[in-house]
Amino acid sequence: MTVRTPSSRIRRAVTPLALCAGLTVGLTACAADPDEGTNGVGKLSAPEIEGKARTAADTAKAVRLAGTLVSKGDTFKLNMRLKQDGASGSVTTKNSTFELLRVGDALYLKADAGFWAHDDAQGGEPTEADAEAADKLDDMYVKVPQGDPSYKQLRGFTDMGLLLDGLIGLHGEKVKGDRDQIGGVRTVKVKGGEGGEGGTLDVALEGSPYPLQFARGGGGGVVVLSEWNKDFPLAAPSKEETLDYGKQLPRT
């Protein structure tokens, strides 16, 4: 029988420990590089990252935009699928929810009877005539005339270029922020102004550097942008489910 000296036993115990320590150091070194396996955008300056995100968004053909926007004290909850020639989705305000569909310049609004009915001048219940008129509009696509004052405002919710321009643009000095994940995709944050008062943009570190989330400064809402370049069907509703009032929307 071979008798091992204490020193040999110590060497046998220390060797695997040393290997494990070396392996740990190697893994730590790898983990210390947050840009490994990314598109490299995280290495750029904040203005360059914002520029890459804007370019990617400008060349995209479609996107889904979901979240909330606060404007002049009103909160809008959006869930819109957008592309260059139209859009479809829903808008929810404090008192109602309605659907919007735009095919080219043709814009349609769809809502239930409660949306179309209104209180009388004294704040009472809708009149019988109003209720009957609203029932006819219930769950129908009402074509919004281009000459109607509401056309421009409603179309704004369906304009991909307009919405993205308003959401991607940061105000103030651009500062690169922390890394994060949006929808399972690694991102890098770019903040506008001190403390993100000019908005905070999350830009994808995987694949194309699309903007994946935008938080407006001052509690102005947060929107998530997904399904970039994912096409979706877009067609005008049938005549049977469409009402066209000509030059002006019904005033119910």
mmCIF file of all heavy atoms in Angstrom, residues 96-140:
data_model
loop_
_atom_site.group_PDB
_atom_site.id
_atom_site.type_symbol
_atom_site.label_atom_id
_atom_site.label_comp_id
_atom_site.label_asym_id
_atom_site.label_seq_id
_atom_site.Cartn_x
_atom_site.Cartn_y
_atom_site.Cartn_z
ATOM 1 N N SER A 96 -64.815 56.370 -22.741
ATOM 2 C CA SER A 96 -65.255 55.516 -23.837
ATOM 3 C C SER A 96 -64.091 54.804 -24.506
ATOM 4 O O SER A 96 -62.929 55.150 -24.324
ATOM 5 C CB SER A 96 -66.002 56.352 -24.891
ATOM 6 O OG SER A 96 -65.146 57.357 -25.400
ATOM 7 N N THR A 97 -64.465 53.803 -25.301
ATOM 8 C CA THR A 97 -63.511 53.083 -26.137
ATOM 9 C C THR A 97 -64.070 53.033 -27.554
ATOM 10 O O THR A 97 -65.259 52.793 -27.744
ATOM 11 C CB THR A 97 -63.287 51.656 -25.617
ATOM 12 O OG1 THR A 97 -62.698 51.705 -24.324
ATOM 13 C CG2 THR A 97 -62.354 50.878 -26.546
ATOM 14 N N PHE A 98 -63.221 53.290 -28.532
ATOM 15 C CA PHE A 98 -63.660 53.191 -29.914
ATOM 16 C C PHE A 98 -62.546 52.588 -30.751
ATOM 17 O O PHE A 98 -61.374 52.624 -30.377
ATOM 18 C CB PHE A 98 -64.073 54.558 -30.476
ATOM 19 C CG PHE A 98 -63.022 55.632 -30.350
ATOM 20 C CD1 PHE A 98 -62.102 55.851 -31.356
ATOM 21 C CD2 PHE A 98 -62.974 56.430 -29.211
ATOM 22 C CE1 PHE A 98 -61.140 56.844 -31.254
ATOM 23 C CE2 PHE A 98 -62.017 57.431 -29.098
ATOM 24 C CZ PHE A 98 -61.096 57.637 -30.107
ATOM 25 N N GLU A 99 -62.927 52.017 -31.878
ATOM 26 C CA GLU A 99 -61.976 51.425 -32.805
ATOM 27 C C GLU A 99 -61.767 52.364 -33.988
ATOM 28 O O GLU A 99 -62.680 53.079 -34.395
ATOM 29 C CB GLU A 99 -62.484 50.068 -33.308
ATOM 30 C CG GLU A 99 -62.626 49.013 -32.229
ATOM 31 C CD GLU A 99 -63.150 47.703 -32.786
ATOM 32 O OE1 GLU A 99 -62.962 47.459 -34.002
ATOM 33 O OE2 GLU A 99 -63.756 46.940 -32.018
ATOM 34 N N LEU A 100 -60.559 52.336 -34.513
ATOM 35 C CA LEU A 100 -60.233 53.121 -35.698
ATOM 36 C C LEU A 100 -59.677 52.197 -36.771
ATOM 37 O O LEU A 100 -58.909 51.274 -36.473
ATOM 38 C CB LEU A 100 -59.207 54.209 -35.367
ATOM 39 C CG LEU A 100 -59.686 55.370 -34.501
ATOM 40 C CD1 LEU A 100 -58.510 56.276 -34.136
ATOM 41 C CD2 LEU A 100 -60.773 56.169 -35.205
ATOM 42 N N LEU A 101 -60.065 52.461 -37.991
ATOM 43 C CA LEU A 101 -59.553 51.722 -39.147
ATOM 44 C C LEU A 101 -59.293 52.735 -40.245
ATOM 45 O O LEU A 101 -60.179 53.507 -40.622
ATOM 46 C CB LEU A 101 -60.580 50.685 -39.612
ATOM 47 C CG LEU A 101 -60.293 49.994 -40.961
ATOM 48 C CD1 LEU A 101 -59.022 49.160 -40.881
ATOM 49 C CD2 LEU A 101 -61.483 49.127 -41.370
ATOM 50 N N ARG A 102 -58.066 52.758 -40.727
ATOM 51 C CA ARG A 102 -57.739 53.645 -41.848
ATOM 52 C C ARG A 102 -57.125 52.832 -42.969
ATOM 53 O O ARG A 102 -56.175 52.082 -42.757
ATOM 54 C CB ARG A 102 -56.781 54.759 -41.429
ATOM 55 C CG ARG A 102 -56.492 55.733 -42.589
ATOM 56 C CD ARG A 102 -55.693 56.942 -42.133
ATOM 57 N NE ARG A 102 -54.362 56.597 -41.662
ATOM 58 C CZ ARG A 102 -53.305 56.433 -42.465
ATOM 59 N NH1 ARG A 102 -53.442 56.552 -43.782
ATOM 60 N NH2 ARG A 102 -52.130 56.142 -41.957
ATOM 61 N N VAL A 103 -57.687 53.000 -44.160
ATOM 62 C CA VAL A 103 -57.156 52.375 -45.367
ATOM 63 C C VAL A 103 -56.891 53.503 -46.354
ATOM 64 O O VAL A 103 -57.820 54.095 -46.906
ATOM 65 C CB VAL A 103 -58.151 51.356 -45.956
ATOM 66 C CG1 VAL A 103 -57.539 50.674 -47.177
ATOM 67 C CG2 VAL A 103 -58.561 50.330 -44.910
ATOM 68 N N GLY A 104 -55.617 53.834 -46.542
ATOM 69 C CA GLY A 104 -55.297 55.010 -47.328
ATOM 70 C C GLY A 104 -55.772 56.263 -46.599
ATOM 71 O O GLY A 104 -55.474 56.463 -45.432
ATOM 72 N N ASP A 105 -56.573 57.072 -47.278
ATOM 73 C CA ASP A 105 -57.129 58.273 -46.647
ATOM 74 C C ASP A 105 -58.510 58.030 -46.063
ATOM 75 O O ASP A 105 -59.062 58.908 -45.398
ATOM 76 C CB ASP A 105 -57.211 59.421 -47.665
ATOM 77 C CG ASP A 105 -55.835 59.951 -48.043
ATOM 78 O OD1 ASP A 105 -54.938 59.940 -47.175
ATOM 79 O OD2 ASP A 105 -55.650 60.361 -49.208
ATOM 80 N N ALA A 106 -59.079 56.869 -46.316
ATOM 81 C CA ALA A 106 -60.414 56.552 -45.798
ATOM 82 C C ALA A 106 -60.308 56.135 -44.330
ATOM 83 O O ALA A 106 -59.621 55.167 -43.993
ATOM 84 C CB ALA A 106 -61.053 55.448 -46.620
ATOM 85 N N LEU A 107 -61.001 56.865 -43.458
ATOM 86 C CA LEU A 107 -60.929 56.632 -42.020
ATOM 87 C C LEU A 107 -62.303 56.237 -41.501
ATOM 88 O O LEU A 107 -63.311 56.882 -41.807
ATOM 89 C CB LEU A 107 -60.444 57.908 -41.326
ATOM 90 C CG LEU A 107 -60.349 57.887 -39.807
ATOM 91 C CD1 LEU A 107 -59.310 56.868 -39.340
ATOM 92 C CD2 LEU A 107 -59.992 59.277 -39.284
ATOM 93 N N TYR A 108 -62.338 55.171 -40.694
ATOM 94 C CA TYR A 108 -63.596 54.664 -40.146
ATOM 95 C C TYR A 108 -63.501 54.603 -38.624
ATOM 96 O O TYR A 108 -62.462 54.267 -38.062
ATOM 97 C CB TYR A 108 -63.902 53.269 -40.695
ATOM 98 C CG TYR A 108 -63.941 53.192 -42.199
ATOM 99 C CD1 TYR A 108 -62.772 52.945 -42.926
ATOM 100 C CD2 TYR A 108 -65.126 53.371 -42.904
ATOM 101 C CE1 TYR A 108 -62.798 52.885 -44.310
ATOM 102 C CE2 TYR A 108 -65.158 53.306 -44.291
ATOM 103 C CZ TYR A 108 -63.986 53.062 -44.985
ATOM 104 O OH TYR A 108 -64.011 53.000 -46.357
ATOM 105 N N LEU A 109 -64.620 54.910 -37.989
ATOM 106 C CA LEU A 109 -64.714 54.866 -36.530
ATOM 107 C C LEU A 109 -65.818 53.886 -36.154
ATOM 108 O O LEU A 109 -66.922 53.926 -36.714
ATOM 109 C CB LEU A 109 -65.017 56.266 -35.997
ATOM 110 C CG LEU A 109 -64.988 56.493 -34.482
ATOM 111 C CD1 LEU A 109 -64.698 57.961 -34.186
ATOM 112 C CD2 LEU A 109 -66.316 56.117 -33.832
ATOM 113 N N LYS A 110 -65.539 53.010 -35.194
ATOM 114 C CA LYS A 110 -66.516 52.015 -34.770
ATOM 115 C C LYS A 110 -66.636 52.050 -33.250
ATOM 116 O O LYS A 110 -65.632 52.009 -32.540
ATOM 117 C CB LYS A 110 -66.072 50.622 -35.240
ATOM 118 C CG LYS A 110 -67.032 49.493 -34.900
ATOM 119 C CD LYS A 110 -66.494 48.174 -35.447
ATOM 120 C CE LYS A 110 -67.418 47.010 -35.152
ATOM 121 N NZ LYS A 110 -66.864 45.723 -35.644
ATOM 122 N N ALA A 111 -67.877 52.134 -32.757
ATOM 123 C CA ALA A 111 -68.088 52.198 -31.311
ATOM 124 C C ALA A 111 -69.490 51.685 -30.983
ATOM 125 O O ALA A 111 -70.327 51.498 -31.871
ATOM 126 C CB ALA A 111 -67.918 53.630 -30.815
ATOM 127 N N ASP A 112 -69.743 51.489 -29.691
ATOM 128 C CA ASP A 112 -71.069 51.031 -29.287
ATOM 129 C C ASP A 112 -72.014 52.218 -29.150
ATOM 130 O O ASP A 112 -71.624 53.384 -29.291
ATOM 131 C CB ASP A 112 -71.004 50.217 -27.990
ATOM 132 C CG ASP A 112 -70.443 51.022 -26.815
ATOM 133 O OD1 ASP A 112 -70.434 52.276 -26.887
ATOM 134 O OD2 ASP A 112 -70.024 50.403 -25.827
ATOM 135 N N ALA A 113 -73.273 51.920 -28.862
ATOM 136 C CA ALA A 113 -74.287 52.974 -28.770
ATOM 137 C C ALA A 113 -73.961 53.967 -27.666
ATOM 138 O O ALA A 113 -74.252 55.159 -27.781
ATOM 139 C CB ALA A 113 -75.664 52.350 -28.545
ATOM 140 N N GLY A 114 -73.354 53.490 -26.590
ATOM 141 C CA GLY A 114 -73.023 54.375 -25.488
ATOM 142 C C GLY A 114 -72.052 55.473 -25.879
ATOM 143 O O GLY A 114 -72.077 56.566 -25.318
ATOM 144 N N PHE A 115 -71.193 55.191 -26.841
ATOM 145 C CA PHE A 115 -70.249 56.198 -27.308
ATOM 146 C C PHE A 115 -70.972 57.320 -28.041
ATOM 147 O O PHE A 115 -70.649 58.499 -27.882
ATOM 148 C CB PHE A 115 -69.215 55.538 -28.226
ATOM 149 C CG PHE A 115 -68.301 56.506 -28.932
ATOM 150 C CD1 PHE A 115 -67.139 56.944 -28.324
ATOM 151 C CD2 PHE A 115 -68.598 56.976 -30.210
ATOM 152 C CE1 PHE A 115 -66.287 57.828 -28.968
ATOM 153 C CE2 PHE A 115 -67.757 57.866 -30.863
ATOM 154 C CZ PHE A 115 -66.598 58.287 -30.236
ATOM 155 N N TRP A 116 -71.950 56.947 -28.856
ATOM 156 C CA TRP A 116 -72.624 57.934 -29.705
ATOM 157 C C TRP A 116 -73.688 58.730 -28.951
ATOM 158 O O TRP A 116 -73.987 59.865 -29.306
ATOM 159 C CB TRP A 116 -73.266 57.233 -30.903
ATOM 160 C CG TRP A 116 -72.273 56.631 -31.827
ATOM 161 C CD1 TRP A 116 -71.981 55.307 -31.972
ATOM 162 C CD2 TRP A 116 -71.419 57.327 -32.738
ATOM 163 N NE1 TRP A 116 -71.002 55.128 -32.923
ATOM 164 C CE2 TRP A 116 -70.636 56.346 -33.407
ATOM 165 C CE3 TRP A 116 -71.236 58.668 -33.058
ATOM 166 C CZ2 TRP A 116 -69.701 56.684 -34.373
ATOM 167 C CZ3 TRP A 116 -70.292 59.010 -34.015
ATOM 168 C CH2 TRP A 116 -69.548 58.022 -34.663
ATOM 169 N N ALA A 117 -74.291 58.146 -27.914
ATOM 170 C CA ALA A 117 -75.300 58.858 -27.144
ATOM 171 C C ALA A 117 -74.634 59.927 -26.293
ATOM 172 O O ALA A 117 -73.460 59.823 -25.938
ATOM 173 C CB ALA A 117 -76.066 57.878 -26.253
ATOM 174 N N HIS A 118 -75.374 60.979 -25.959
ATOM 175 C CA HIS A 118 -74.805 62.023 -25.113
ATOM 176 C C HIS A 118 -75.868 62.582 -24.183
ATOM 177 O O HIS A 118 -77.074 62.447 -24.424
ATOM 178 C CB HIS A 118 -74.212 63.152 -25.970
ATOM 179 C CG HIS A 118 -75.234 63.911 -26.762
ATOM 180 N ND1 HIS A 118 -75.995 64.899 -26.226
ATOM 181 C CD2 HIS A 118 -75.620 63.799 -28.060
ATOM 182 C CE1 HIS A 118 -76.812 65.400 -27.150
ATOM 183 N NE2 HIS A 118 -76.607 64.733 -28.268
ATOM 184 N N ASP A 119 -75.421 63.209 -23.097
ATOM 185 C CA ASP A 119 -76.349 63.846 -22.168
ATOM 186 C C ASP A 119 -76.908 65.115 -22.785
ATOM 187 O O ASP A 119 -76.302 65.721 -23.673
ATOM 188 C CB ASP A 119 -75.636 64.198 -20.857
ATOM 189 C CG ASP A 119 -75.123 62.944 -20.152
ATOM 190 O OD1 ASP A 119 -75.630 61.858 -20.467
ATOM 191 O OD2 ASP A 119 -74.221 63.078 -19.302
ATOM 192 N N ASP A 120 -78.054 65.541 -22.291
ATOM 193 C CA ASP A 120 -78.612 66.789 -22.794
ATOM 194 C C ASP A 120 -77.901 67.982 -22.160
ATOM 195 O O ASP A 120 -77.002 67.840 -21.351
ATOM 196 C CB ASP A 120 -80.124 66.853 -22.548
ATOM 197 C CG ASP A 120 -80.474 66.841 -21.058
ATOM 198 O OD1 ASP A 120 -79.610 67.212 -20.241
ATOM 199 O OD2 ASP A 120 -81.610 66.470 -20.730
ATOM 200 N N ALA A 121 -78.293 69.170 -22.535
ATOM 201 C CA ALA A 121 -77.605 70.381 -22.090
ATOM 202 C C ALA A 121 -77.627 70.540 -20.585
ATOM 203 O O ALA A 121 -76.751 71.182 -20.004
ATOM 204 C CB ALA A 121 -78.237 71.603 -22.761
ATOM 205 N N GLN A 122 -78.624 69.976 -19.913
ATOM 206 C CA GLN A 122 -78.715 70.094 -18.464
ATOM 207 C C GLN A 122 -78.020 68.953 -17.742
ATOM 208 O O GLN A 122 -78.099 68.827 -16.521
ATOM 209 C CB GLN A 122 -80.191 70.148 -18.032
ATOM 210 C CG GLN A 122 -80.899 71.462 -18.351
ATOM 211 C CD GLN A 122 -81.175 71.620 -19.836
ATOM 212 O OE1 GLN A 122 -81.559 70.661 -20.504
ATOM 213 N NE2 GLN A 122 -80.971 72.823 -20.355
ATOM 214 N N GLY A 123 -77.330 68.105 -18.499
ATOM 215 C CA GLY A 123 -76.605 67.004 -17.879
ATOM 216 C C GLY A 123 -77.464 65.794 -17.587
ATOM 217 O O GLY A 123 -77.086 64.908 -16.829
ATOM 218 N N GLY A 124 -78.653 65.748 -18.196
ATOM 219 C CA GLY A 124 -79.533 64.617 -17.972
ATOM 220 C C GLY A 124 -79.232 63.455 -18.896
ATOM 221 O O GLY A 124 -78.224 63.430 -19.605
ATOM 222 N N GLU A 125 -80.132 62.491 -18.898
ATOM 223 C CA GLU A 125 -79.964 61.318 -19.746
ATOM 224 C C GLU A 125 -80.168 61.693 -21.208
ATOM 225 O O GLU A 125 -80.810 62.698 -21.525
ATOM 226 C CB GLU A 125 -80.968 60.240 -19.340
ATOM 227 C CG GLU A 125 -80.734 59.664 -17.959
ATOM 228 C CD GLU A 125 -79.429 58.922 -17.865
ATOM 229 O OE1 GLU A 125 -79.071 58.232 -18.852
ATOM 230 O OE2 GLU A 125 -78.750 59.039 -16.832
ATOM 231 N N PRO A 126 -79.615 60.907 -22.129
ATOM 232 C CA PRO A 126 -79.837 61.187 -23.557
ATOM 233 C C PRO A 126 -81.322 61.172 -23.889
ATOM 234 O O PRO A 126 -82.099 60.425 -23.286
ATOM 235 C CB PRO A 126 -79.101 60.027 -24.247
ATOM 236 C CG PRO A 126 -78.119 59.546 -23.241
ATOM 237 C CD PRO A 126 -78.741 59.755 -21.908
ATOM 238 N N THR A 127 -81.699 62.004 -24.836
ATOM 239 C CA THR A 127 -83.095 62.034 -25.257
ATOM 240 C C THR A 127 -83.437 60.746 -25.997
ATOM 241 O O THR A 127 -82.552 59.993 -26.424
ATOM 242 C CB THR A 127 -83.350 63.236 -26.185
ATOM 243 O OG1 THR A 127 -82.594 63.049 -27.393
ATOM 244 C CG2 THR A 127 -82.928 64.537 -25.512
ATOM 245 N N GLU A 128 -84.727 60.510 -26.153
ATOM 246 C CA GLU A 128 -85.162 59.304 -26.845
ATOM 247 C C GLU A 128 -84.666 59.300 -28.291
ATOM 248 O O GLU A 128 -84.245 58.263 -28.811
ATOM 249 C CB GLU A 128 -86.695 59.214 -26.815
ATOM 250 C CG GLU A 128 -87.235 57.939 -27.457
ATOM 251 C CD GLU A 128 -88.745 57.825 -27.325
ATOM 252 O OE1 GLU A 128 -89.335 58.599 -26.530
ATOM 253 O OE2 GLU A 128 -89.333 56.979 -28.020
ATOM 254 N N ALA A 129 -84.676 60.480 -28.923
ATOM 255 C CA ALA A 129 -84.209 60.582 -30.307
ATOM 256 C C ALA A 129 -82.717 60.274 -30.397
ATOM 257 O O ALA A 129 -82.255 59.581 -31.319
ATOM 258 C CB ALA A 129 -84.500 61.983 -30.858
ATOM 259 N N ASP A 130 -81.960 60.796 -29.423
ATOM 260 C CA ASP A 130 -80.522 60.523 -29.410
ATOM 261 C C ASP A 130 -80.263 59.035 -29.225
ATOM 262 O O ASP A 130 -79.376 58.454 -29.860
ATOM 263 C CB ASP A 130 -79.841 61.313 -28.292
ATOM 264 C CG ASP A 130 -79.682 62.785 -28.642
ATOM 265 O OD1 ASP A 130 -79.753 63.110 -29.836
ATOM 266 O OD2 ASP A 130 -79.497 63.594 -27.711
ATOM 267 N N ALA A 131 -80.997 58.418 -28.326
ATOM 268 C CA ALA A 131 -80.808 56.997 -28.050
ATOM 269 C C ALA A 131 -81.108 56.149 -29.276
ATOM 270 O O ALA A 131 -80.389 55.189 -29.584
ATOM 271 C CB ALA A 131 -81.688 56.576 -26.874
ATOM 272 N N GLU A 132 -82.171 56.524 -29.993
ATOM 273 C CA GLU A 132 -82.523 55.777 -31.200
ATOM 274 C C GLU A 132 -81.456 55.948 -32.271
ATOM 275 O O GLU A 132 -81.094 54.987 -32.963
ATOM 276 C CB GLU A 132 -83.885 56.262 -31.719
ATOM 277 C CG GLU A 132 -85.056 55.869 -30.837
ATOM 278 C CD GLU A 132 -86.372 56.392 -31.381
ATOM 279 O OE1 GLU A 132 -86.339 57.102 -32.408
ATOM 280 O OE2 GLU A 132 -87.426 56.087 -30.780
ATOM 281 N N ALA A 133 -80.948 57.181 -32.404
ATOM 282 C CA ALA A 133 -79.898 57.426 -33.401
ATOM 283 C C ALA A 133 -78.629 56.668 -33.044
ATOM 284 O O ALA A 133 -77.964 56.100 -33.923
ATOM 285 C CB ALA A 133 -79.615 58.921 -33.490
ATOM 286 N N ALA A 134 -78.308 56.639 -31.747
ATOM 287 C CA ALA A 134 -77.102 55.944 -31.310
ATOM 288 C C ALA A 134 -77.220 54.450 -31.550
ATOM 289 O O ALA A 134 -76.236 53.784 -31.895
ATOM 290 C CB ALA A 134 -76.853 56.235 -29.828
ATOM 291 N N ASP A 135 -78.421 53.913 -31.379
ATOM 292 C CA ASP A 135 -78.626 52.479 -31.599
ATOM 293 C C ASP A 135 -78.334 52.095 -33.049
ATOM 294 O O ASP A 135 -77.840 51.003 -33.335
ATOM 295 C CB ASP A 135 -80.058 52.085 -31.241
ATOM 296 C CG ASP A 135 -80.283 52.044 -29.732
ATOM 297 O OD1 ASP A 135 -79.278 51.951 -28.989
ATOM 298 O OD2 ASP A 135 -81.447 52.116 -29.304
ATOM 299 N N LYS A 136 -78.639 53.009 -33.979
ATOM 300 C CA LYS A 136 -78.372 52.727 -35.392
ATOM 301 C C LYS A 136 -76.872 52.706 -35.694
ATOM 302 O O LYS A 136 -76.436 52.067 -36.653
ATOM 303 C CB LYS A 136 -79.058 53.778 -36.272
ATOM 304 C CG LYS A 136 -80.583 53.741 -36.201
ATOM 305 C CD LYS A 136 -81.187 54.828 -37.069
ATOM 306 C CE LYS A 136 -82.708 54.803 -36.994
ATOM 307 N NZ LYS A 136 -83.324 55.883 -37.822
ATOM 308 N N LEU A 137 -76.106 53.421 -34.881
ATOM 309 C CA LEU A 137 -74.659 53.489 -35.096
ATOM 310 C C LEU A 137 -73.911 52.404 -34.330
ATOM 311 O O LEU A 137 -72.710 52.215 -34.538
ATOM 312 C CB LEU A 137 -74.134 54.863 -34.646
ATOM 313 C CG LEU A 137 -74.739 56.079 -35.353
ATOM 314 C CD1 LEU A 137 -74.247 57.367 -34.704
ATOM 315 C CD2 LEU A 137 -74.375 56.069 -36.823
ATOM 316 N N ASP A 138 -74.624 51.712 -33.462
ATOM 317 C CA ASP A 138 -73.987 50.728 -32.587
ATOM 318 C C ASP A 138 -73.220 49.677 -33.376
ATOM 319 O O ASP A 138 -73.777 48.997 -34.234
ATOM 320 C CB ASP A 138 -75.059 50.051 -31.732
ATOM 321 C CG ASP A 138 -74.459 49.034 -30.763
ATOM 322 O OD1 ASP A 138 -73.474 49.371 -30.086
ATOM 323 O OD2 ASP A 138 -74.985 47.895 -30.698
ATOM 324 N N ASP A 139 -71.918 49.578 -33.109
ATOM 325 C CA ASP A 139 -71.071 48.542 -33.690
ATOM 326 C C ASP A 139 -70.997 48.594 -35.213
ATOM 327 O O ASP A 139 -70.748 47.581 -35.866
ATOM 328 C CB ASP A 139 -71.549 47.159 -33.234
ATOM 329 C CG ASP A 139 -70.379 46.202 -33.047
ATOM 330 O OD1 ASP A 139 -69.267 46.667 -32.748
ATOM 331 O OD2 ASP A 139 -70.578 44.979 -33.207
ATOM 332 N N MET A 140 -71.218 49.786 -35.770
ATOM 333 C CA MET A 140 -71.082 49.975 -37.217
ATOM 334 C C MET A 140 -69.826 50.805 -37.489
ATOM 335 O O MET A 140 -69.392 51.612 -36.659
ATOM 336 C CB MET A 140 -72.304 50.699 -37.776
ATOM 337 C CG MET A 140 -73.598 49.928 -37.675
ATOM 338 S SD MET A 140 -73.687 48.540 -38.845
ATOM 339 C CE MET A 140 -73.895 49.419 -40.398
#
